[in-house]
Amino acid sequence: MDAVFFPLDEELALLPGHLAPRQQEHLTHLACFMPFEKAAQMLETLLGVRTTKETARSLTERMGACMEAAHMAEGDTPSPPTTDQPAPQRYVLSADGAMISLVNKQWAEVRTLAIGEPHVGPGADGEPEIHVGHLSYVSRLCDAFTFLQHVAGEIQRRKVLEARDVCSITDGAEWCQRLTASYRPDALRILDFPHAAEHLSQLLEALEHAGLRFPDRMLSRCLHVLKHRGPRALLRMSGHLENDLTQQKGIGEHLDYLRKREALMQYPVFRTQGWPIGSGMVESANKLVVQARLKGSGMHWERGNVNPLLTLRMAVCNDRWQEMWQKAIRQQRMGDVRQRSALDEPEVQASHQGTSSPSVPALPLVATSRPRALPSEPPSHAEAATPPPLTPLPPVDPILPPPSPRPLAHPQVPVVPQQSDTCPCGMPLIRFKGHRTKEYCSHRCRQRAYCQRQAMKHWGQWRLIVSS
């Protein structure tokens, strides 16, 4: 079915579909938090507007794709410098990945970057504790290189490049280290404390399996030493192990991991400088942005529908819904303009070439579609004296044989259009109780039907002239 554009839609700022713009925004907003069927039910409960699960799904995917295009354009276009809001002095970056289920029993990793500002606040026991606030997130299903380019817009918006001090808390993955080195190579790099504690726990378990005996609560003591005194004391203790023991599988690997990252585990120094030592900000981002909507019970996603929904989730979690929704609407209208220009281009070319517009169906032509004079019988005096009232006749072709006699065609009787639930173009008609019955979905379809009726009317008159 061809797309139909109505000029009044632009004047009233209407979007495609039978829902009003505000209702479409509410439905998309609800679909960011709950499954599509629940979102449709909630819209009916709140606004009394009945819709279906598939309508909610298609609308969410379409507006998510528009918002994703606007978000990518935001990263490609440098934003003008703002002097009214200076850049914060300190920033914390943390990156990690979360797995989601795709169709056909596949799993894929969604990469997430969390950006926040550290501050000191009271802890659970009343002592000062370092917290991270003013968080914003970037999540996308892509490879590491593409994600490295995709985060540029948010880093530029938060003015991370202008901050005085930046630290990066990661689990030591290579793509996380490459991300930090690309934007802030001078950033302080910290190994996530829970990740270091996991390797230390696995090292103690491997040593126990090898035959060593440790006192009670050995793991908690080692973690206390690592957090308050640093890794030097633990690495000094590991130096007393025998060479045969350190070369066993599961022991040497963890020892090498901790020794290579000694500079990233200076937790007492980091805490003194006011930096957090855990990546809880990005772990909560994985739950808030990704898992809360895309990792429900029985959910399996198409790969092409993941990023549009992630873009909608980022707009909600970053408190930028109204801003990003307006950008998505502008992106939708730009797409409609491009589609309309693509449909009008053949018509413009046809008008320049002197041919009929392809939008109006061509009238059927036959071999005797124009009157031709008989070579043996010249036209009568009455016919020669009275020219036809319509268009002049084309030149005579004496070579063709005379046309076969045809009965006179009677004028066509106007047919009363039957009530139907669909427009001639195929668009379903929406009927309201107490309103006049609609025959067409838009003014464009009404004009097209009028042109077709006029063409058939002239065709009937032309047949009368030919048959006479």
Side-chain angles (χ1 to χ4, degrees), residues 239-258:
H240 298 286
L241 299 175
E242 299 179 359
N243 294 333
D244 297 341
L245 189 63
T246 56
Q247 293 179 1
Q248 292 185 10
K249 183 179 180 181
I251 299 179
E253 297 176 0
H254 297 292
L255 280 176
D256 293 341
Y257 182 89
L258 296 175

Side-chain angles (χ1 to χ4, degrees), residues 25-35 38-44 46 293 321:
E25 180 183 356
H26 290 328
L27 181 58
T28 308
H29 205 169
L30 290 172
C32 295
F33 293 91
M34 58 189 70
K38 295 292 184 181
Q41 296 175 1
M42 185 63 65
L43 184 70
E44 182 179 0
L46 296 177
R293 183 61 183 90
W321 175 260

Side-chain angles (χ1 to χ4, degrees), residues 82-143:
T82 57
T83 57
D84 53 347
Q85 296 181 356
Q89 297 295 324
R90 297 161 68 87
Y91 266 124
V92 179
L93 307 179
S94 186
D96 198 7
M99 304 299 293
I100 62 171
S101 176
L102 303 180
V103 296
N104 300 326
K105 299 181 180 181
Q106 297 181 1
W107 288 85
E109 182 182 14
V110 175
R111 306 175 193 271
T112 302
L113 172 67
I115 305 175
E117 303 176 18
H119 63 276
V120 180
D125 52 357
E127 297 182 357
E129 188 175 348
I130 303 172
H131 301 275
V132 182
H134 298 91
L135 292 168
S136 63
Y137 314 101
V138 180
S139 297
R140 188 169 180 83
L141 175 62
C142 59
D143 58 285

